[in-house]
Amino acid sequence: MTYQVLTDESPGKMPLPVPPSQVWIISTLEIAVSWQGDHHLMLVHPSYPLAGQHNSPPHDEGYWAPPFVAYPVPIEFSPPTTAGSLLRLATEAADRIDIERDLNHLAYQMGLRDTHLRRRSPFLEVKVSPRSPSMVKAYYILRHGLVGVDASSCRNLADPEQRRGYVFLPLRDYLTATEVRPGEEHGRSERWFLGKPLMSNVEHVLQEEMRRLVISEEGLDIPSELFHREERGVLCVVDLAGYGTALRYAFEHMHTFSTTADRAQDEFRRRVAHELHTMLGDLGTTQAQFAGDGFVAAFPERTFPNTTALITNIATRWESLVGLIEQFNGSIRAPEKRVGTRMVLHQGYYSYGRIAGTRSFAAAFDGTAVIEAVRLEQGLATASKERSAPMFASLPRRSHLIAVSGQLAEQVKPPESGSPFGNWTALGETTLTAKEYEGDALIYERRAAETERPSSTGGTP
């Protein structure tokens, strides 16, 4: 057994299981935040596993840890071999470092100000290195709790858009929110949370209920509304029609002597995903949820105040992606196997961020306007497939359509140069229905070359 925890009460002459190859001081910042009355410990993911390490765990996962600052402790002639000599080496090195200044610097980098820290009981670990499993190292864990912070910086703790990557481990339900798994490479079992193991110092601290209670009682109350944003803006829902069918076609028909079926399929899928992400990146929003062949995205008014200019940019950028789809369609001989596109543009109030607070897996959308936008897209899919309105009767089976909700259409003013939808033809207004929702929308079709237009009999190209 190579895992051992030592404190200042450990017998000084007690031999270490293995003399450590390195000694580190790890100064942790324990931050507990509340969500609807329950406190959670903030954790970060400081490192992916290093490549090429001997005896690395097969799960290939990094470890959750509190925010921390690390300091190497020099070993001059020989490594410590007893608990007493290791403790002396570590404490003497720690006395030469301004730990609290560095932790306040760390807090500043986290966007926090006017912080108040409280020391908590330290301990030593001798264990297999998490990142270098072939080595045994010693870690002097100096614990500090963040027990006070200026309220104006609390949104940086809530991390509503999860740009900082924080996760929150429940303290009251710690035992049920985690599970124990064997960890033979490290000579001990490990507790896992959200698909990754906890660093052993976290597990040691939280294994005692009293320590969990202390951390909770000294935690920070964060208003629930800081975990997400209440917004008003333009919502954009995109879906590719016949995407799965086209992928199967690529798998079955588009391989060559030098290109395998899997590679042809993967290349198209990755190209489409790259273009979808690039499109939103070019348009400048970070509020988005992707689902393989489509996305839901939002453009808040606070950062996109000119609605007409925004719609023009969206339509122009979407035209480029439709061009890519048409290039792919040109390689598909069967018209019914080609890919069509649908975009819905809507406007209204919505929420974005950690909708479930500390238990959110990822930033997400919520709100009536989001549901309405999704329902409009579903209604557009049904109407174009079933050709329930005259405007859809003569369209190709896989067409390119944009639906603009009645609410948004009223806000868009045509620029002097013409329609904000540029190279798209207005087909007219219709009512789209999906489940219990019904809404009016103005429908646009992409202007295609004559060779792409349907025949006069209404057939497919």
Side-chain angles (χ1 to χ4, degrees), residues 5-284:
V5 175
L6 308 172
T7 68
D8 55 7
E9 296 181 351
S10 299
K13 296 181 179 181
M14 183 175 66
L16 300 177
V18 178
S21 60
Q22 294 180 12
V23 179
W24 288 83
I25 295 172
I26 306 293
S27 181
T28 61
L29 187 59
E30 296 175 353
I31 304 174
V33 302
S34 68
W35 164 255
Q36 297 183 344
D38 286 342
H39 279 85
H40 303 71
L41 182 66
M42 174 194 290
L43 300 174
V44 298
H45 186 248
S47 176
Y48 288 97
L50 300 180
Q53 298 298 298
H54 175 67
N55 200 33
S56 292
H59 57 66
D60 195 36
E61 293 288 354
Y63 286 74
W64 295 123
F68 67 92
V69 181
Y71 312 87
V73 177
I75 299 177
E76 294 186 350
F77 296 106
S78 63
T81 58
T82 65
S85 60
L86 175 58
L87 185 61
R88 281 194 303 273
L89 179 66
T91 55
E92 289 173 1
D95 289 341
R96 297 191 294 268
I97 304 170
D98 191 343
I99 301 289
E100 292 199 8
R101 180 185 182 282
D102 290 346
L103 284 177
N104 278 303
H105 186 198
L106 173 63
Y108 174 78
Q109 291 179 315
M110 295 170 65
L112 310 176
R113 68 177 188 178
D114 195 15
T115 53
H116 179 204
L117 306 180
R118 181 165 297 157
R119 292 185 182 182
R120 291 173 178 161
S121 55
F123 58 95
L124 265 161
E125 290 183 307
V126 179
K127 65 177 183 179
V128 172
S129 169
R131 296 205 299 172
S132 303
S134 60
M135 303 174 68
V136 174
K137 301 180 183 180
Y139 302 86
Y140 188 30
I141 310 297
L142 298 180
R143 302 169 55 217
H144 286 76
L146 180 67
V147 297
V149 68
D150 177 41
S152 68
S153 61
C154 282
R155 186 163 59 172
N156 285 313
L157 293 173
D159 187 21
E161 294 190 12
Q162 296 193 239
R163 294 293 165 182
R164 295 182 171 275
Y166 302 149
V167 299
F168 298 94
L169 174 62
L171 291 172
R172 185 174 64 182
D173 298 326
Y174 168 70
L175 296 179
T176 56
T178 60
E179 63 170 323
V180 178
R181 299 186 187 181
E184 296 178 1
E185 296 80 10
H186 293 105
R188 63 181 185 87
S189 62
E190 297 176 324
R191 276 199 176 270
W192 284 56
F193 174 65
L194 293 181
K196 302 182 191 302
L198 298 174
M199 201 65 84
S200 59
N201 60 296
V202 177
E203 185 177 345
H204 174 73
V205 169
L206 298 184
Q207 69 182 355
E208 290 193 10
E209 183 179 9
M210 186 59 64
R211 284 199 287 259
R212 299 199 299 270
L213 289 173
V214 170
I215 294 172
S216 296
E217 289 180 357
E218 295 185 334
L220 305 168
D221 293 323
I222 308 297
S224 297
E225 60 268 19
L226 294 185
F227 287 90
H228 63 270
R229 281 184 181 271
E230 299 289 343
E231 305 271 27
R232 173 179 165 79
V234 172
L235 291 155
C236 177
V237 180
V238 159
D239 188 51
L240 303 186
Y243 183 69
T245 300
L247 286 179
R248 285 195 298 273
Y249 183 93
F251 181 81
E252 295 170 358
H253 301 284
M254 298 179 71
H255 54 278
T256 66
F257 288 111
S258 59
T259 303
T260 65
D262 286 336
R263 183 175 178 182
Q265 188 181 58
D266 291 346
E267 183 176 343
F268 174 61
R269 185 174 59 247
R270 290 168 183 165
R271 181 76 184 276
V272 169
H274 175 268
E275 290 299 319
L276 289 173
H277 283 259
T278 301
M279 171 187 168
L280 289 183
D282 291 346
L283 291 170

Side-chain angles (χ1 to χ4, degrees), residues 288-449:
Q289 283 182 259
F290 288 87
D293 60 346
F295 60 73
V296 178
F299 301 82
E301 283 184 353
R302 59 186 171 80
T303 54
F304 297 89
N306 189 328
T307 303
T308 300
L310 171 64
I311 297 302
T312 301
N313 289 339
I314 292 174
T316 300
R317 190 59 185 81
W318 184 238
E319 179 83 16
S320 299
L321 196 141
V322 169
L324 171 66
I325 297 297
E326 282 304 306
Q327 289 179 26
F328 179 73
N329 282 341
S331 303
I332 300 178
R333 296 180 180 179
E336 70 277 5
K337 305 292 186 181
R338 294 172 182 162
V339 180
T341 65
R342 294 186 298 271
M343 172 187 284
V344 166
L345 297 171
H346 187 42
Q347 188 178 50
Y349 293 94
Y350 65 94
S351 299
Y352 182 76
R354 292 183 187 263
I355 301 302
T358 53
R359 297 312 300 266
S360 294
F361 285 93
F365 289 102
D366 189 27
T368 302
V370 178
I371 297 173
E372 291 173 348
V374 172
R375 291 288 184 264
L376 283 171
E377 191 280 321
Q378 294 171 346
L380 180 62
T382 301
S384 59
K385 180 179 181 180
E386 298 179 355
R387 303 178 182 258
S388 57
M391 68 176 67
F392 298 117
S394 61
L395 293 180
R397 179 166 183 157
R398 299 299 190 196
S399 52
H400 304 292
L401 301 172
I402 295 178
V404 185
S405 69
Q407 299 96 310
L408 180 57
E410 295 176 358
Q411 303 296 319
V412 178
K413 299 178 181 179
E416 295 181 0
S417 58
S419 168
F421 291 92
N423 197 34
W424 292 79
T425 303
L427 300 181
E429 190 172 351
T430 189
T431 299
L432 301 176
T433 304
K435 295 186 178 180
E436 72 289 347
Y437 179 75
E438 182 177 282
D440 295 332
L442 185 61
I443 309 300
Y444 290 84
E445 179 208 5
R446 176 184 179 268
R447 293 178 183 174

